[in-house]
Amino acid sequence: MAAVLHLPTHKVADVVVVGAGLCGLALTRSLVARGLDVTLLEARDRFGGRVLTHTDAQTGQALDLGATWYWPETEPRISALLGELGLATLAQHDPGDALWLTDPNRQPERRQEEGGVHAGARRIQGGAARLADALAAELPAGCLQLGKPVRVLRDRGSHIDVMLETGAPLRSRQVVLALPPRLVHQRMLLDPPLPATVWDAMESTATWMATHAKALVAFDHAFWREAGQSGNAFVRHAQAVLGEVFDACDEANGAALGGFVALNPAQREHFQRGLPLLIDSQLAQLYGQAAQSGRLQLQDWALEPWTCSDTDRATPPEPPLADPLLRQPLWSGRVFLGGSETAAHGAGHMEGALEAADRIAHALLRQKAPTATTHEPVAQNREAALRAFAEGVAARAAAAPDQYRRHLTRLLSSQQQDLLTQRALLATVDRVYSESLAQIDALLPALDAADAAVVQGQHALTPPLLAAFAGWNKGLLQAALAFNASSCALSNFAQDQAPDAETQRAITLDLAAAWREFAIELNARLLQAHPVAAVSA
């Protein structure tokens, strides 16, 4: 790991990134690669955030105590990054069956789960920490600084003072807060204050997994597989200790079962001493006496002060549904909110962390991009580029209903029950918009954006590019509602299988908000390539 350095107070960095979780690491890597002077600050004495892997001392088995899975069919960023870094992955063991224990006085019932329990999830071979390690390894010496809690951001006009818990402040032209929004809300002072609407949205955005605890139990061999069991189990009774159990073998060293603790933070605190015995007993009830010989690793995220806020502890856990306000630039484009919870797609997941990093990197690099001074002709003409974009949009739109079904299946498999249609639709459109923006980036030279008019902040190419999406939001919603009406899996979710007018209106408004965000970002990327617009910005 790079040595920790103290920057002199007179130095002004291009960017200070606060939080060395997956978002902060990926963002810093991108900015450094483009030549920016970046300092990455982390309050903990380790990097990775909610990515945390323990190695079993006896077998060398990697045990993921935090982020574990990704879904290649619906999460393209992490799939691409793992390929770029050359990190091997493995499919989550999931033969399609699970044990269900609904009565503590009876034996578990074995059920077949249509589509499997984990909906095509994969894991990183050797543990998710390998991803964090690979990103950190590409940072220059002194860039990453551990044990540096940030308490205050103060706008000084020419720069921002980043004031630490101890030591001299740092100075930076721009700052990214790559943290859960509730932590920023609770632990930092911003001078001047953020707009009240943004501040309230930060407090309202739940931190994914903040109040959960995860148990990993290592064994010398996978006795449950030898007995023909998948390792999947759901415990649904009032005395449950582990609510969900899964196979955590890494196919290389030993074997493991993982589980999410069903007890809330207060209950875990009350049963702290006896919790290992309770976990041991429940695994034995599910899998027999062989399950009592394991080596337990327990991670209680509610005890992590740089993960779980007081608001998280005081409110029921829920998946984050990121408010668009969290994605807007603050302090005239000099402060950005990052972290997985701010993502339009994959909020709470590793994918969401990378989505947030990509969004902020584009915004920062746009501001740092050199202004073009000459205009050179390009080989491919604008009309061909516009046609290529329209064809790309058509292909993504055609695939969107199937993507919606995949997102819905994944939500159902994770035992989520609220806002299923909204979440699946937003995940679908956000992926389409993300891939469309990536295509715009590739087509910018051919579009010759520097040689088109800009009127009142709108680039002349924005309307014809957006025209490729005409009617598709409405068509996707209709396809989703038609699928819901025929879905047996949604038969127990009346509000999703047959949503009322109010619910449909809420979904429509969510889709419209996502569309506005996309249209603004597309226009911004075109303006970036325009010399006059870049200067005026």
Side-chain angles (χ1 to χ4, degrees):
M1 185 186 304
V4 174
L5 298 180
H6 291 285
L7 295 180
T9 56
H10 65 271
K11 178 179 179 180
V12 180
D14 289 325
V15 183
V16 165
V17 178
V18 183
L22 193 54
C23 175
L25 288 167
L27 173 62
T28 303
R29 173 180 180 258
S30 295
L31 299 179
V32 166
R34 295 293 294 271
L36 272 67
D37 177 15
V38 185
T39 299
L40 175 57
L41 302 175
E42 170 56 48
R44 295 180 175 93
D45 60 1
R46 65 171 182 86
F47 57 83
R50 281 166 282 176
V51 173
L52 178 61
T53 303
H54 173 82
T55 301
D56 179 55
Q58 188 164 321
T59 63
Q61 158 91 335
L63 306 173
D64 279 325
L65 297 169
T68 301
W69 297 289
Y70 75 101
W71 286 264
E73 293 180 333
T74 57
E75 298 185 339
R77 281 187 176 84
I78 187 167
S79 301
L81 180 59
L82 291 170
E84 177 187 341
L85 295 172
L87 296 179
T89 67
L90 69 155
Q92 171 63 34
H93 181 69
D94 189 9
D97 66 291
L99 297 177
W100 282 78
L101 185 59
T102 57
D103 185 334
N105 300 311
R106 303 183 64 178
Q107 292 298 309
E109 173 191 355
R110 186 172 180 175
R111 302 179 188 175
Q112 289 295 318
E113 302 291 334
E114 183 179 355
V117 173
H118 298 278
R122 296 188 69 84
R123 295 189 282 125
I124 300 171
Q125 182 73 50
R130 292 192 64 208
L131 175 56
D133 290 342
L135 294 173
E138 296 191 13
L139 303 183
C143 174
L144 172 59
Q145 301 185 28
L146 303 178
K148 300 288 186 181
V150 173
R151 294 304 187 189
V152 179
L153 296 186
R154 183 161 285 127
D155 187 357
R156 297 297 193 186
S158 62
H159 64 274
I160 296 171
D161 273 348
V162 181
M163 307 183 74
L164 307 176
E165 195 170 77
T166 59
L170 307 183
R171 293 180 174 180
S172 183
R173 295 180 180 86
Q174 293 173 297
V175 175
V176 178
L177 300 174
L179 301 168
R182 279 182 174 172
L183 281 185
V184 178
H185 187 277
Q186 176 181 321
R187 292 180 167 273
M188 290 188 192
L189 171 68
L190 281 78
D191 178 21
L194 299 181
T197 52
V198 176
W199 198 242
D200 291 344
M202 292 167 69
E203 187 178 30
S204 300
T205 302
T207 307
W208 182 236
M209 298 301 292
T211 58
H212 287 67
K214 193 174 181 182
L216 273 293
V217 185
F219 301 92
D220 294 333
H221 62 98
F223 53 84
W224 58 95
R225 292 192 187 184
E226 295 166 4
Q229 296 172 323
S230 65
N232 295 322
F234 296 95
V235 183
R236 298 291 188 263
H237 60 69
Q239 300 173 31
V241 180
L242 297 178
E244 178 183 344
V245 179
F246 54 89
D247 182 300
C249 300
D250 70 0
E251 308 291 353
N253 302 300
L257 288 169
F260 295 98
V261 180
L263 307 179
N264 64 37
Q267 291 171 322
R268 295 197 298 269
E269 186 175 355
H270 180 73
F271 291 108
Q272 182 178 9
R273 289 188 176 182
L275 193 54
L277 181 61
L278 293 173
I279 292 172
D280 201 51
S281 176
Q282 185 175 295
L283 288 178
Q285 188 177 12
L286 289 167
Y287 301 109
Q289 295 303 307
Q292 291 188 312
S293 61
R295 299 173 294 279
L296 172 66
Q297 291 290 329
L298 183 64
Q299 174 67 19
D300 191 337
W301 288 101
L303 300 178
E304 285 266 349
W306 293 106
T307 294
C308 186
S309 69
D310 292 344
T311 305
D312 286 311
R313 289 182 65 94
T315 55
E318 59 181 353
L321 194 59
D323 192 312
L325 287 171
L326 303 181
R327 295 188 286 275
Q328 69 179 23
L330 303 168
W331 284 8
S332 301
R334 294 193 293 158
V335 171
F336 294 83
L337 300 178
S340 183
E341 280 72 21
T342 70
H345 170 48
H349 289 206
M350 292 186 284
E351 178 75 6
L354 298 177
E355 194 268 5
D358 185 58
R359 164 179 54 86
I360 297 170
H362 269 95
L364 293 173
L365 292 170
R366 231 185 344 258
Q367 296 174 9
K368 304 297 181 184
T371 302
T373 56
T374 61
H375 170 62
E376 297 180 3
V378 293
Q380 187 179 4
N381 60 50
R382 181 178 295 163
E383 289 72 21
L386 289 170
R387 284 196 303 272
F389 183 73
E391 291 168 358
V393 170
R396 289 187 283 275
D402 185 58
Q403 286 293 320
Y404 167 78
R405 291 190 286 272
R406 294 179 188 276
H407 281 293
L408 191 64
T409 297
R410 182 169 61 78
L411 290 171
L412 287 167
S413 72
S414 64
Q415 306 298 303
Q416 295 189 32
Q417 300 182 5
D418 298 327
L419 303 175
L420 295 173
T421 301
Q422 285 102 315
R423 292 181 189 280
L425 276 170
L426 285 173
T428 302
V429 299
D430 288 332
R431 176 171 179 178
V432 168
Y433 294 153
S434 174
E435 293 177 349
S436 298
L437 289 172
Q439 188 182 15
I440 286 293
D441 290 341
L443 289 173
L444 273 175
L447 287 168
D448 200 10
D451 195 34
V454 174
V455 179
Q456 295 183 339
Q458 184 181 75
H459 196 283
L461 293 179
T462 297
L465 288 167
L466 294 179
F469 292 89
W472 97 275
N473 255 0
K474 182 178 179 181
L476 176 62
L477 177 58
Q478 292 173 343
L481 295 178
F483 173 76
N484 287 8
S486 63
S487 171
C488 296
L490 288 176
S491 58
N492 295 323
F493 303 92
Q495 192 69 341
D496 285 283
Q497 191 162 49
D500 57 25
E502 183 179 350
T503 301
Q504 290 192 45
R505 172 175 168 76
I507 295 172
T508 301
L509 291 175
D510 284 344
L511 294 177
W515 166 254
R516 286 193 297 273
E517 271 194 88
F518 166 69
I520 291 170
E521 179 63 18
L522 181 144
N523 187 65
R525 296 193 185 189
L526 292 172
L527 293 178
Q528 175 189 355
H530 196 286
V532 176
V535 170
S536 63

